[in-house]
Amino acid sequence: MEKEYKKYKQLSKKSVKQKKLEESRYSILQNNKEKCFFCNNKAVDTHELLKGRNRKKCIEWGLVVYTCRECHRKTEEDSLFYQETRRYAQKMWQKHYKKNEQDFINEFGRSYI
């Protein structure tokens, strides 16, 4: 008896607009793209501090850091560490753009503090 495997659709490629947005990333939190934001090892990944629907907004507002693979994995797997990074991102966004908590909620949908 042969198994039938589910057919998957091929993933679509990134749109030109998304590709341009990702290529123009900058960080309000970190100047050195060569070192990991968390541990100062060599950085190889770019990490948006807020996930999901806020990923594009992170890129637009500069809530991006450069990380090594271990720290990037840690942000994905360790929920307490991820909560701390979201709080830090909100505090720095408010300080950098001289905005208040309500402005952050209006832009990103909720407060992490």
Side-chain angles (χ1 to χ4, degrees):
M1 183 176 199
E2 289 186 39
K3 278 188 173 181
E4 284 188 43
Y5 292 98
K6 185 176 180 179
K7 293 183 180 180
Y8 290 98
K9 290 191 286 182
Q10 187 175 3
L11 294 175
S12 61
K13 293 185 179 180
K14 291 182 182 176
S15 68
V16 172
K17 185 178 178 182
Q18 180 66 24
K19 187 177 178 185
K20 282 183 183 178
L21 183 65
E22 288 183 3
E23 287 173 351
S24 66
R25 287 182 202 165
Y26 68 97
S27 177
I28 64 169
L29 307 170
Q30 181 180 13
N31 292 327
N32 189 351
K33 294 181 179 184
E34 303 297 319
K35 294 206 174 205
C36 176
F37 181 73
F38 301 108
C39 69
N40 285 328
N41 285 337
K42 183 177 170 143
V44 292
D45 290 334
T46 306
H47 178 64
E48 293 80 22
L49 292 175
L50 305 176
K51 295 181 188 176
R53 66 183 179 158
N54 290 321
R55 183 171 177 267
K56 282 184 182 179
K57 289 182 182 183
C58 280
I59 295 170
E60 292 169 8
W61 287 98
L63 294 177
V64 174
V65 293
Y66 306 97
T67 63
C68 65
R69 288 282 158 99
E70 287 116 33
C71 291
H72 195 194
R73 193 174 304 117
K74 186 176 178 182
T75 60
E76 301 293 328
E77 295 172 356
D78 186 347
S79 62
L80 292 175
F81 185 68
Y82 179 56
Q83 287 174 357
E84 286 300 315
T85 60
R86 289 186 297 189
R87 279 190 207 106
Y88 179 76
Q90 180 177 346
K91 288 176 188 174
M92 296 310 291
W93 184 88
Q94 290 175 199
K95 182 179 176 182
H96 182 77
Y97 292 108
K98 296 173 179 50
K99 306 248 184 190
N100 61 30
E101 187 173 1
Q102 188 58 47
D103 294 329
F104 187 87
I105 293 169
N106 292 342
E107 185 64 37
F108 293 98
R110 65 175 289 194
S111 174
Y112 297 105
I113 297 176

